[in-house]
Amino acid sequence: DTGVSQNPRHKITKRGQNVTFRCDPISEHNRLYWYRQTLGQGPEFLTYFQNEAQLEKSRLLSDRFSAERPKGSFSTLEIQRTEQGDSAMYLCASGGDNQPQHFGDGTRLSIL
Amino acid sequence: AQSVTQLDSQVPVFEEAPVELRCNYSSSVSVYLFWYVQYPNQGLQLLLKYLSGSTLVESINGFEAEFNKSQTSFHLRKPSVHISDTAEYFCAVPQEGTYKYIFGTGTRLKVLA
């Protein structure tokens, strides 16, 4: 069990730039989740996939955000035209039937 | 909609003392409940889960939590804490009808020497 892997661990970028994060889930898990966590808060749900289908998106996920899971394995989360308010920890989790969600170490995004 | 309340944002406690971190939830259906722990600059690690069966669940590092349906609580306890238990602890419940989790705001446990 290699766990959930996220890359990069840290991303610093200028406001207005696009960024992309990658998540590799536990291989036997069919569901993959993205959450966002800001300082002093618990994770907030962004979106989730079952296999390659994106089944739910939060209202937090503005038009500048897009997530994909093209082959039902790894997933990417892209943020276009980043804003100061996008600074946060982006967490990926995976899970399966009767399996609790397992989290990666996250990608910390800092917008200059 | 379901919600999770962690009333204590910070809990300082001396090493080897007992601790209880409180979690209350709201739900009208069968409940699964989870505790996660987050160390600095890391993701969340599953600490405990309640899915069904015995209302008292235990972790391998001495934590336990008890599901209390009448009080809608799932408090986390440890009889004797260590410095290494210093971390943030989150209680979570699946949103009804979906697979996403609703998290509490977290409790920062600080163990003092």
Side-chain angles (χ1 to χ4, degrees), chain B residues 6 21 23 34-36 46-48 65 74 76 89-91:
Chain B
Q6 293 182 251
L21 307 183
C23 171
F34 306 94
W35 275 101
Y36 284 85
L46 181 66
L47 187 61
L48 289 170
F74 190 54
L76 181 69
Y89 292 79
F90 293 95
C91 184

Side-chain angles (χ1 to χ4, degrees), chain A residues 68-85:
Chain A
E68 295 183 343
R69 194 184 184 197
K71 298 182 180 179
S73 56
F74 73 91
S75 174
T76 57
L77 177 68
E78 181 183 16
I79 309 173
Q80 296 182 326
R81 305 180 303 281
T82 52
E83 301 174 355
Q84 291 283 351

Side-chain angles (χ1 to χ4, degrees), chain B residues 5-92:
Chain B
T5 302
Q6 293 182 251
L7 290 172
D8 306 304
S9 60
Q10 292 189 64
V11 173
V13 62
F14 284 104
E15 194 173 17
E16 298 183 6
V19 70
E20 178 178 83
L21 307 183
R22 296 180 292 170
C23 171
N24 289 88
Y25 66 92
S26 67
S27 174
S28 59
V29 297
S30 298
V31 177
Y32 296 162
L33 290 157
F34 306 94
W35 275 101
Y36 284 85
V37 58
Q38 186 176 34
Y39 299 100
N41 298 314
Q42 293 187 24
L44 279 70
Q45 300 176 27
L46 181 66
L47 187 61
L48 289 170
K49 61 184 178 185
Y50 171 77
L51 302 179
S52 64
S54 172
T55 58
L56 184 66
V57 290
E58 299 176 350
S59 73
I60 57 173
N61 58 353
F63 282 95
E64 64 179 29
E66 185 162 19
F67 169 56
N68 188 319
K69 187 174 181 179
S70 63
Q71 297 187 6
T72 60
S73 68
F74 190 54
H75 299 334
L76 181 69
R77 295 188 291 261
K78 189 170 185 179
S80 176
V81 294
H82 302 289
I83 295 286
S84 59
D85 293 324
T86 294
E88 188 128 23
Y89 292 79
F90 293 95
C91 184

Side-chain angles (χ1 to χ4, degrees), chain A residues 9 31 35 37 56 101 104, chain B residues 36 38 41 43 99-101:
Chain A
R9 291 293 312 280
R31 295 190 195 98
Y35 292 84
Q37 185 180 25
E56 188 172 349
Q101 294 179 22
Chain B
Y36 284 85
Q38 186 176 34
N41 298 314
Y99 294 103
K100 68 185 182 186
Y101 288 2

Side-chain angles (χ1 to χ4, degrees), chain A residues 10-80:
Chain A
H10 304 277
K11 180 70 177 178
I12 302 172
T13 192
K14 293 181 179 179
R15 183 167 51 93
Q17 298 295 304
N18 299 342
V19 294
T20 300
F21 311 140
R22 177 179 169 125
C23 172
D24 288 88
I26 294 171
S27 57
E28 59 265 32
H29 288 173
N30 60 346
R31 295 190 195 98
L32 186 149
Y33 308 80
W34 287 99
Y35 292 84
R36 181 171 68 186
Q37 185 180 25
T38 53
L39 202 61
Q41 298 296 318
E44 295 175 294
F45 171 79
L46 293 178
T47 188
Y48 92 92
F49 294 82
Q50 180 155 315
N51 300 313
E52 66 274 14
Q54 188 173 17
L55 296 187
E56 188 172 349
K57 293 169 60 174
S58 163
R59 282 173 290 180
L60 292 175
L61 216 63
S62 75
D63 291 345
R64 297 184 296 105
F65 288 71
S66 62
E68 295 183 343
R69 194 184 184 197
K71 298 182 180 179
S73 56
F74 73 91
S75 174
T76 57
L77 177 68
E78 181 183 16
I79 309 173
Q80 296 182 326

